[in-house]
Amino acid sequence: MSLLNPVLLPPKVKAYLSQGERFIKWDDETTVASPVILRVDPKGYYLYWTYQSKEMEFLDITSIRDTRFGKFAKIPKSQKLRDVFNMDFPDNNFLLKTLTVVSGPDMVDLTFHNFVSYKENVGKDWAEDVLALVKHPLMTNAPRSTFLDKILVKLKMQLNPEGKIPVKNFFQLFPADRKRVESALSACHLPKGKNDAINPEDFPESVYKSFLMSLCPRPEIDEIFTSYHAKAKPYMTKEHLTKFINQKQRDPRLNSLLFPPAQPDQVQGLIDKYEPSGINVQRGQLSPEGMVWFLCGPENSVLAQDKLLLHQDMTQPLNHYFINSSHNTYLTGSQFSGLSSAEMYRQVLLSGCRCVELDCWKGKPPDEEPIITHGFTMTTDIFFKEAIEAIAESAFKTSPYPVILSFENHVDSPRQQAKMAEYCRTMFGDTLLTEPLEKFPLKPGTPLPSPEDLRGKILIKNKKNQFSGPICPSKEPGEAEGSCPPKVSLGSKDTVWTGEEGAELEDEEVGEEEEEESGSLDEEEIKKMQSDEGTAGLEVTAYEEMSSLVNYIQPTKFISFEFASQKNRSYVISSFTELKAYDLLSKAAVQFVDYNKRQMSRIYPKGTRVDSSNYMPQMFWNVGCQMVALNFQTMDLPMQQNMALFEFNGQSGYLLKHEFMRLPDKQFNPFSVDRLDVVVATTLSITVISGQFLSERSMRTYVEVELFGLPGDPKRRYRTKLSPSPNSINPVWKEEPFVFEKIMMPELASLRVTVMEENSKFLGHRIIPVHALNSGYQHLCLHSESNMPLTMPALFVFLEMKDYVPDTWADLTVALVNPIKFFSAHDKSMKLKEAMGGGLPEKPFPPRSSVAGQVNGAAAPTSNGAAGTYFRSSHPLGGLHRCLHPQVHPSLAAAPKKTDFHLGGKGCV
């Protein structure tokens, strides 16, 4: 990313949205229907509606989770409202006028805002275009300047009847210190009384910024400014700013040829944009205040914004991706007594999840409609068809890539299974993949199709039995068989059709059938199932109709890694409880990685997690498990990490695994503590400098910093001291950097920064993959526990990332980065030792046999007789890179300026 040209631009709001449209807003609980004008502000921050009384209600765009129209919008249940809209009269076209906006702080606590337009299809346009704004990647990952601008926009929209900004609104937005707010208003020559009001014309953006600078001074940025500006001058020249950008804000691993450093002429544009003084702009000078706004701008995003967009190769086999996956998707609470809801399927899919679970059980007479619930518990039921309808509506609203339905099927009735299959075929239509793709037959050794091949498709994961001979219609026992093939007893009242001579089941499937169909389970066996596996081990056989829907994801019992390797079938998948999976990875991690290169695995929480808590997913990502399924209703740390990771790659729900976890000729041991071939380890340093608007109360606060990654990565959790005083508006911590010295595979590591009150109350946090972090001084805008952006709270940090270099190579690294400086210092040291009679000087490099002409310890080629040290790197340039040093290539010693060679990193050529 260039500091001069941000990758992502803010969303554009269509003119008709900001102009507004007349709707009737209705509410079933109050049975009130009110005319309103619905609008989106021109910058796309808020959806708001104005009543006839001029009263206004706001909805932050970032709090919106879904928009619906037509038959998927809410329909009034109250007869009073139904009469208002003439709903019981034929041909009233009510469904063509509906709009529902769903908002909430998480996936469970939702609010439905219902509108009816005066014209047909208006609701459809609003639903689609508002959702497009919601899904724009900058909505939740905006720079600090955007969040500060949101406050100004809201202040200038919330006017009193006289059209002025009530001063009390300032106190509501900045409640931590009222005296500070009054003082800041006075400094801007604005009224400060609780009952006073301000003319909007007297509060332009320039005055607002002055108000913020008075309310929240930034002495820590003044110190940074002082270290780079001209001595005794209250400004920074464009040359000084250029130097600051190239030295502090630029990733030191970047190649200078492919990513040229900033030049003074280019930097002038930043001064034009951020410097408040017109005279300074003309002179090419930046003031301390201009520096503050520059560091808040999009040019200094803490994220590599291009990674938020869809940027990965989506044409690899399906098992080469981590897939965002949900467990017991229907639950809104605990596994034992929580409520079930079809709405959860919508919310989970809208969040970017691509694999949802359906626990299906037999419905009761008279309707005999299959249900979804958590068996042998007190959780409530929902109808299977409601869940399928919700999935059909929401499957591809966030991501166009395939959705996997993981069935845990306990419906031992052929007729009800036939109903389930029919619902899937009818409601999913062409999106349901019922036959394998021609290029990817279900044969051993054949790879799975890619997410791109399966774009817009729904796949069924359910037991599959082999059927030959004529297709038999579903029958209940006792019905006429006609020409149907023989039956095989299941040890219950139902039967399974196997074909004319019976299907030949795979070895491990036979074992599974025998285990599960040996008769009815007694209470002890059921208890055992629920202790770890839950009810997953109680699945029944699939009958013809459901079995025919299964193709690329066929569940099978895991026998061993060796057995799976012999079979070599990419289309079968094994599911493991977290305990079983942990046992496998602790005993045979390398084999588990190789297993996941060929086929897929699904991990799910153990049955004893009755509170719907989650396990840490990192350990299973480390061995390449694709479907690491979590309880989405519980926003604990594991779920927060999952959401933060899958926010990237266009929120597609698919993340390409590292080549170590994909290529059969690569071996990867996640427990290795040494090094990984072709991967350059990263050293990450973070200095927590200050915070802004961290709490609504005056409290002392502290910050925790931790890293998630491979077992060999640094595991220390750092913590700052408490802020010196109970000041939550602009606390400053003056502490040493927190250093994670050797992050072995940055693509598998994430950094978490959390802000806590003195009493350990959570205030906000941010989890970001290490490979998506930008170096330099950054504002880290905080998120809530459910990964929703918080408008006010932010941290100011300094991030520094560089290639990890062992201590034994430190001298060589210095020499490669700046050979002239190194050898100059070395010569001085040598002369000093000779003068002091110190004997022979130390060798400046390790022995040649261990340096020159090697590739990570192996002999390397040379070109035109020039030897060199070769290193492999996983950075964007890829390939093999040679780093020359003067001892091998003397011409470098005479270089007129600093040489930009860098050990094993993005500066190598």
Side-chain angles (χ1 to χ4, degrees):
M1 172 189 154
S2 170
L3 280 169
L4 306 177
N5 298 298
V7 173
L8 287 174
L9 297 177
K12 291 185 178 179
V13 179
K14 293 186 176 180
Y16 83 90
L17 294 175
S18 54
Q19 290 167 1
E21 182 74 40
R22 292 192 307 137
F23 283 86
I24 295 175
K25 187 177 187 301
W26 61 269
D27 184 279
D28 246 332
E29 291 185 7
T30 61
T31 68
V32 171
S34 306
V36 298
I37 296 179
L38 190 65
R39 294 185 179 93
V40 175
D41 73 277
K43 294 186 177 180
Y45 298 151
Y46 303 99
L47 176 72
Y48 64 104
W49 49 94
T50 309
Y51 294 92
Q52 289 178 324
S53 63
K54 303 300 181 182
E55 182 186 352
M56 197 178 289
E57 289 186 19
F58 288 83
L59 202 56
D60 193 317
I61 289 287
T62 62
S63 73
I64 296 176
R65 295 188 167 270
D66 194 15
T67 56
R68 300 169 193 168
F69 61 89
K71 66 177 182 179
F72 296 116
K74 289 283 187 180
I75 306 299
K77 296 177 183 177
S78 156
Q79 188 60 47
K80 178 182 175 181
L81 290 175
R82 295 180 68 86
D83 292 341
V84 169
F85 298 120
N86 295 320
M87 289 182 61
D88 297 325
F89 286 87
D91 303 324
N92 73 336
N93 295 329
F94 179 80
L95 292 180
L96 297 177
K97 303 173 184 176
T98 57
L99 169 67
T100 293
V101 179
V102 187
S103 67
D106 53 46
M107 298 184 198
V108 177
D109 186 12
L110 301 174
T111 303
F112 296 85
H113 310 271
N114 304 303
F115 303 89
V116 177
S117 67
Y118 290 84
K119 296 177 286 188
E120 296 177 5
N121 295 320
V122 169
K124 177 178 182 293
D125 293 339
W126 275 77
E128 291 175 349
D129 290 332
V130 169
L131 191 63
L133 291 175
V134 172
K135 294 300 178 182
H136 190 283
L138 275 188
M139 277 298 165
T140 53
N141 294 286
R144 182 63 178 157
S145 57
T146 296
F147 288 107
L148 295 176
D149 191 40
K150 284 177 71 170
I151 300 170
L152 174 63
V153 168
K154 192 168 187 179
L155 279 169
K156 299 187 79 168
M157 289 171 64
Q158 291 181 308
L159 305 179
N160 62 18
E162 289 76 39
K164 295 183 178 182
I165 306 171
V167 170
K168 66 179 181 181
N169 289 357
F170 285 82
F171 299 135
Q172 292 171 357
L173 282 170
F174 308 101
D177 194 327
R178 179 164 178 166
K179 289 185 177 179
R180 273 206 191 197
V181 176
E182 292 175 346
S183 177
L185 288 170
S186 295
C188 296
H189 308 290
L190 297 170
K192 62 179 182 179
K194 180 180 178 181
N195 298 320
D196 290 338
I198 302 169
N199 284 316
E201 298 80 15
D202 297 333
F203 199 65
E205 183 180 6
S206 58
V207 175
Y208 170 63
K209 286 184 174 181
S210 297
F211 166 77
L212 284 179
M213 293 299 295
S214 297
L215 178 64
C216 182
R218 304 297 301 275
E220 73 282 15
I221 293 183
D222 290 344
E223 288 184 20
I224 298 166
F225 182 87
T226 302
S227 64
Y228 273 85
H229 82 320
K231 291 182 179 179
K233 301 288 185 182
Y235 57 79
M236 184 186 287
T237 65
K238 61 185 175 184
E239 287 76 18
H240 292 134
L241 181 56
T242 302
K243 183 180 178 183
F244 169 77
I245 289 172
N246 291 332
Q247 290 186 356
K248 291 297 184 181
Q249 303 301 95
R250 174 183 166 83
D251 191 324
R253 300 167 296 178
L254 288 176
N255 182 288
S256 295
L257 296 177
L258 296 180
F259 303 93
Q263 299 299 317
D265 291 344
Q266 297 171 300
V267 171
Q268 179 63 47
L270 297 175
I271 295 175
D272 296 343
K273 181 176 180 181
Y274 293 108
E275 175 53 43
S277 166
I279 296 176
N280 283 350
V281 170
Q282 292 175 9
R283 294 174 178 173
Q285 298 168 351
L286 187 74
S287 66
E289 186 176 346
M291 182 72 157
V292 171
W293 300 116
F294 164 61
L295 291 174
C296 288
E299 294 83 0
N300 289 289
S301 171
V302 70
L303 293 174
Q305 293 183 352
D306 55 326
K307 288 182 169 56
L308 289 169
L309 303 172
L310 186 70
H311 67 282
Q312 294 182 338
D313 178 8
M314 302 302 285
T315 62
Q316 299 281 326
L318 205 61
N319 56 302
H320 286 185
Y321 297 83
F322 296 120
I323 303 172
N324 199 356
S325 302
S326 165
H327 172 250
N328 287 357
T329 311
Y330 48 90
L331 287 177
T332 63
S334 78
Q335 311 280 325
F336 184 71
S337 59
L339 298 176
S340 301
S341 171
E343 181 62 39
M344 280 301 293
Y345 286 98
R346 291 186 173 93
Q347 293 304 315
V348 167
L349 289 166
L350 286 162
S351 73
C353 182
R354 296 289 86 189
C355 177
V356 296
E357 186 178 25
L358 301 93
D359 286 4
C360 307
W361 296 81
K362 191 162 60 175
K364 298 175 182 177
D367 297 327
E368 294 192 346
E369 284 289 343
I371 60 172
I372 290 178
T373 190
H374 199 207
F376 306 106
T377 67
M378 294 189 291
T379 58
T380 58
D381 308 338
I382 57 172
F383 285 122
F384 175 83
K385 63 182 177 182
E386 288 181 13
I388 296 301
E389 184 179 50
I391 293 168
E393 179 208 353
S394 304
F396 304 107
K397 275 187 167 183
T398 295
S399 168
Y401 291 103
V403 170
I404 299 165
L405 307 188
S406 180
F407 278 78
E408 189 180 296
N409 197 343
H410 306 279
V411 179
D412 59 356
S413 160
R415 176 175 292 164
Q416 290 196 27
Q417 278 202 24
K419 268 189 179 183
M420 291 162 58
E422 183 60 25
Y423 288 139
C424 289
R425 290 181 183 275
T426 303
M427 294 185 184
F428 295 149
D430 293 339
T431 63
L432 181 65
L433 188 72
T434 56
E435 298 292 337
L437 303 181
E438 188 177 343
K439 292 182 180 179
F440 301 94
L442 299 178
K443 294 181 179 179
T446 304
L448 287 171
S450 69
E452 190 60 41
D453 293 321
L454 298 169
R455 190 183 181 95
K457 292 296 182 181
I458 293 176
L459 284 70
I460 302 291
K461 170 186 169 286
N462 190 84
K463 277 192 176 182
K464 184 176 180 69
N465 290 319
Q466 307 300 320
F467 297 88
S468 59
I471 295 176
C472 181
S474 298
K475 291 183 173 62
E476 295 294 334
E479 294 185 10
E481 292 182 20
S483 58
C484 290
K487 294 183 283 185
V488 176
S489 173
L490 292 181
S492 63
K493 71 172 187 176
D494 288 319
T495 57
V496 57
W497 303 97
T498 63
E500 292 180 356
E501 297 179 359
E504 184 179 344
L505 298 176
E506 298 285 357
D507 295 346
E508 71 268 38
E509 290 167 353
V510 170
E512 191 173 12
E513 298 296 336
E514 289 175 354
E515 178 183 311
E516 294 173 9
E517 296 167 10
S518 57
S520 58
L521 295 167
D522 60 29
E523 194 173 329
E524 283 294 316
E525 288 173 307
I526 290 175
K527 254 185 195 178
K528 188 177 178 183
M529 290 289 187
Q530 287 185 280
S531 65
D532 181 15
E533 291 186 20
T535 55
L538 300 174
E539 284 186 85
V540 300
T541 298
Y543 299 112
E544 171 82 9
E545 286 81 356
M546 279 303 299
S547 185
S548 66
L549 300 182
V550 182
N551 38 70
Y552 288 119
I553 307 182
Q554 301 181 20
T556 187
K557 184 176 182 180
F558 176 78
I559 302 297
S560 70
F561 292 130
E562 294 76 13
F563 186 87
S565 178
Q566 292 170 10
K567 290 293 182 180
N568 194 21
R569 297 172 300 164
S570 63
Y571 53 86
V572 300
I573 178 173
S574 292
S575 293
F576 308 93
T577 69
E578 58 178 288
L579 296 180
K580 174 66 174 176
Y582 183 76
D583 183 57
L584 288 172
L585 73 86
S586 62
K587 293 177 180 177
V590 174
Q591 293 92 319
F592 209 165
V593 172
D594 290 340
Y595 172 89
N596 287 318
K597 290 177 182 178
R598 290 186 307 271
Q599 59 198 82
M600 290 202 285
S601 60
R602 179 178 181 269
I603 317 300
Y604 62 94
K606 60 185 179 183
T608 51
R609 289 186 180 272
V610 293
D611 59 350
S612 293
S613 61
N614 287 302
Y615 54 84
M616 288 300 290
Q618 183 73 50
M619 66 181 104
F620 303 118
W621 290 332
N622 288 345
V623 289
C625 297
Q626 295 84 357
M627 301 182 195
V628 182
L630 300 177
N631 294 305
F632 272 54
Q633 73 272 30
T634 305
M635 289 299 165
D636 51 12
L637 179 56
M639 189 61 212
Q640 291 163 1
Q641 187 185 5
N642 186 79
M643 293 188 74
L645 186 75
F646 283 103
E647 200 171 3
F648 292 84
N649 199 34
Q651 214 176 356
S652 62
Y654 287 83
L655 295 173
L656 186 64
K657 296 192 286 184
H658 195 280
E659 63 178 19
F660 273 121
M661 299 179 171
R662 296 185 277 118
L663 303 183
D665 61 336
K666 303 286 185 187
Q667 190 177 75
F668 173 57
N669 181 1
F671 290 101
S672 171
V673 295
D674 183 18
R675 61 177 176 81
L676 302 171
D677 187 25
V678 191
V679 176
V680 177
T682 294
T683 296
L684 169 63
S685 168
I686 176 171
T687 306
V688 179
I689 301 172
S690 65
Q692 296 78 46
F693 304 110
L694 297 180
S695 173
E696 293 185 350
R697 300 182 296 167
S698 290
M699 293 286 294
R700 297 179 76 192
T701 53
Y702 65 91
V703 180
E704 288 184 347
V705 179
E706 58 188 317
L707 184 83
F708 307 116
L710 294 175
D713 288 342
K715 285 292 178 289
R716 181 176 176 183
R717 177 188 292 179
Y718 292 100
R719 172 177 166 173
T720 68
K721 297 176 182 177
L722 282 169
S723 54
S725 62
N727 163 25
S728 61
I729 291 182
N730 63 339
V732 176
W733 294 272
K734 291 185 178 180
E735 298 191 18
E736 293 299 310
F738 300 146
V739 180
F740 300 95
E741 187 178 25
K742 186 182 180 183
I743 304 171
M744 296 185 61
M745 189 181 287
E747 291 86 347
L748 270 176
S750 297
L751 180 73
R752 185 186 191 226
V753 183
T754 312
V755 182
M756 310 286 282
E757 281 188 356
E758 185 177 6
N759 58 9
S760 297
K761 178 186 175 184
F762 175 92
L763 291 176
H765 76 148
R766 196 70 182 275
I767 302 176
I768 302 176
V770 169
H771 71 94
L773 286 167
N774 278 329
S775 294
Y777 291 99
Q778 310 287 356
H779 283 89
L780 196 65
C781 298
L782 302 180
H783 285 188
S784 69
E785 289 176 293
S786 56
N787 204 38
M788 301 286 283
L790 300 171
T791 304
M792 300 292 290
L795 287 176
F796 185 56
V797 301
F798 179 66
L799 289 164
E800 189 174 19
M801 286 166 289
K802 56 187 178 182
D803 295 330
Y804 166 74
V805 179
D807 292 340
T808 54
W809 292 85
D811 286 346
L812 175 59
T813 308
V814 174
L816 292 173
V817 173
N818 194 335
I820 297 175
K821 181 178 179 180
F822 175 82
F823 280 97
S824 176
H826 182 74
D827 289 343
K828 289 180 181 177
S829 174
M830 182 177 63
K831 290 177 182 177
L832 181 61
K833 284 191 177 184
E834 288 178 345
M836 297 176 65
L840 294 174
E842 295 180 6
K843 293 181 180 180
F845 297 112
R848 181 184 177 93
S849 61
S850 66
V851 180
Q854 293 192 3
V855 180
N856 289 335
T862 59
S863 173
N864 298 325
T869 303
Y870 286 75
F871 298 89
R872 287 198 177 273
S873 173
S874 62
H875 63 72
L877 304 186
L880 187 66
H881 305 276
R882 184 183 61 186
C883 296
L884 303 174
H885 53 75
Q887 195 179 47
V888 179
H889 200 284
S891 63
L892 288 182
K897 58 182 179 180
K898 178 178 176 180
T899 306
D900 191 32
F901 293 132
H902 192 288
L903 176 64
K906 299 179 183 178
C908 285
V909 295

